[in-house]
Amino acid sequence: MRRRKRLYRSIRSAKLWVVFAGVLLWLAGCSGQQSALDPAGSGAERIADLFRWMVAGAVIIWILVVGLAIYSIRARSEPHSRNAGKWLIIGGGVVFPIVVLTVLLAYGLAMLPELTSPAPAGSLKIAVTGEQWWWRVRYLPPGGEGVELANEIRLPVGEPVEFQLESADVIHSFWIPSLGGKIDMMPGRVTRLTLKPTRTGVFRGACAEYCGASHARMNFPVVVMERAEFARWLAQQAETAQPPATSLAARGQELFFANGCTACHTIRGTPANGVIGPDLTHVGSRLSIAAGTLPNEPDAFRRWIAHTQAVKPDVNMPNFGMLSPEELQALAIYLDGLE
Ligand code: CUA
């Protein structure tokens, strides 16, 4: 008997450990570059607050309901007054949900103006177009000339930024969980989202609306920087491309022109002025290539160019598998050097 009790106790403590480990794993998902529960922007802070209030409320309601259920099972059946039952149903089943849901709706709606109204005059504006499956990014600094980039967004910390979002093909959705809420990008319509990063760091944005075969490969790094560092970065991005620094890179540039890459890509400062695909003027300075899919390094460029369709199924760019390893290497060195 005693042995059985001990066994029972050890099983129970093992179960507790499993639950504990599970909770730890679950909580580990709450931080990181792409977590709405680890906010780095004022919009995300409000959303995280709303989430915490909703979880706390749900826990309280769950305890109340389970408590009532246990009470109803354990209580001896006594004739209740009909009135008490009626008020329990009207109070708990009608009035209570109406009050709770109305408060939540009001709280949620009150957040919308901050997120979707235009940023104050003089703020930085960035136009982002979702395309299958990458991001065309146009910086529109106040008073300055626009700069077209792709697949990466950098922001100054502590300043509101207005995103003007649209789509070139199907519906996409623009979401930087660490900074704020997501919003759809629709063909033929501009949606707006104002975000205000509150701390520096590297975060991750993603397409949050299924948009075809490579929807999951449509991401982008978001770098929040100090104002001065940001200004230097944007000025550098506005410049034309650096000429190839080595003979291998020069060979890569020749191949870039010889293989028709210029039909789709622009490299400012060269005759390459295609507008179908991402601007590559400073592709070597980005944290990733192929819209957050591969790290920015020569190996990844080679893989991307030779096995494009394997890396990102159905994307518009064809495989350039006919290039020799040496040619691929030259192209990769040229593109990686475009900083
Ligand atoms: Cu674009 Cu999903």
Side-chain angles (χ1 to χ4, degrees):
M1 186 68 184
R2 195 177 285 168
R3 205 185 286 163
R4 201 190 292 166
K5 252 190 189 159
R6 220 182 292 147
L7 181 70
Y8 176 68
R9 231 180 273 146
S10 64
I11 289 175
R12 203 166 51 173
S13 72
K15 264 190 200 160
L16 273 178
W17 277 109
V18 169
V19 169
F20 181 63
V23 168
L24 274 186
L25 273 177
W26 178 62
L27 285 176
C30 296
S31 64
Q33 294 189 333
Q34 201 180 345
S35 173
L37 298 180
D38 187 10
S42 54
E45 275 159 19
R46 299 200 58 183
I47 291 168
D49 279 347
L50 176 64
F51 176 78
R52 286 188 200 106
W53 277 103
M54 287 177 73
V55 170
V59 168
I60 292 169
I61 292 168
W62 183 80
I63 290 172
L64 275 176
V65 170
V66 171
L68 270 177
I70 292 173
Y71 171 77
S72 71
I73 293 166
R74 294 224 170 151
R76 270 182 293 164
S77 60
E78 286 161 12
H80 287 291
S81 83
R82 268 188 147 186
N83 256 345
K86 194 170 89 187
W87 285 115
L88 189 65
I89 290 170
I90 293 176
V94 180
V95 177
F96 183 73
I98 287 178
V99 169
V100 169
L101 292 177
T102 307
V103 169
L104 281 176
L105 179 68
Y107 187 76
L109 286 179
M111 281 182 183
L112 277 183
E114 187 195 331
L115 293 171
T116 54
S117 60
S123 305
L124 175 65
K125 293 187 168 76
I126 304 177
V128 182
T129 307
E131 312 209 4
Q132 284 172 318
W133 291 273
W134 62 284
W135 311 84
R136 191 186 295 274
V137 178
R138 246 179 261 114
Y139 275 74
L140 312 165
E145 230 179 90
V147 185
E148 178 157 331
L149 312 170
N151 298 330
E152 184 166 295
I153 288 172
R154 300 203 180 201
L155 302 170
V157 69
E159 295 178 25
V161 178
E162 182 183 311
F163 289 96
Q164 301 171 351
L165 307 162
E166 54 188 320
S167 166
D169 35 50
V170 299
I171 299 178
H172 302 273
S173 184
F174 181 85
W175 194 22
I176 310 170
S178 305
L179 300 191
K182 60 173 175 268
I183 197 156
D184 278 0
M185 311 171 98
M186 283 167 278
R189 191 174 155 180
V190 178
T191 46
R192 275 166 221 282
L193 180 68
T194 299
L195 297 175
K196 187 175 163 189
T198 50
R199 62 179 160 93
T200 57
V202 178
F203 308 99
R204 192 173 148 92
C207 178
E209 177 79 43
Y210 180 73
C211 53
S214 285
H215 153 73
R217 310 259 157 90
M218 188 173 170
N219 306 299
F220 56 100
V222 179
V223 185
V224 178
M225 316 163 101
E226 295 296 342
R227 184 17 111 167
E229 201 189 341
F230 168 78
R232 270 198 302 277
W233 170 82
L234 189 57
Q236 187 257 331
Q237 296 288 318
E239 285 171 12
T240 52
Q242 290 170 353
T246 61
S247 57
L248 189 60
R251 171 87 182 112
Q253 191 184 41
E254 271 171 40
L255 289 160
F256 190 86
F257 288 105
N259 284 282
C261 307
T262 57
C264 295
H265 296 286
T266 288
I267 297 180
R268 282 177 266 131
T270 77
N273 60 0
V275 292
I276 294 169
D279 184 299
L280 299 178
T281 310
H282 296 286
V283 66
S285 74
R286 293 177 200 149
L287 295 181
S288 67
I289 62 168
T293 305
L294 296 172
N296 183 354
E297 54 192 29
D299 258 3
F301 275 107
R302 281 205 303 259
R303 188 160 158 232
W304 170 245
I305 295 165
H307 307 286
T308 322
Q309 292 295 320
V311 176
K312 193 174 282 201
D314 282 1
V315 72
N316 279 334
M317 179 167 152
N319 290 334
F320 285 82
M322 68 294 196
L323 296 171
S324 70
E326 291 72 26
E327 290 173 325
L328 280 173
Q329 176 69 358
L331 258 175
I333 293 295
Y334 170 57
L335 294 170
D336 197 49
L338 292 174
E339 289 192 351

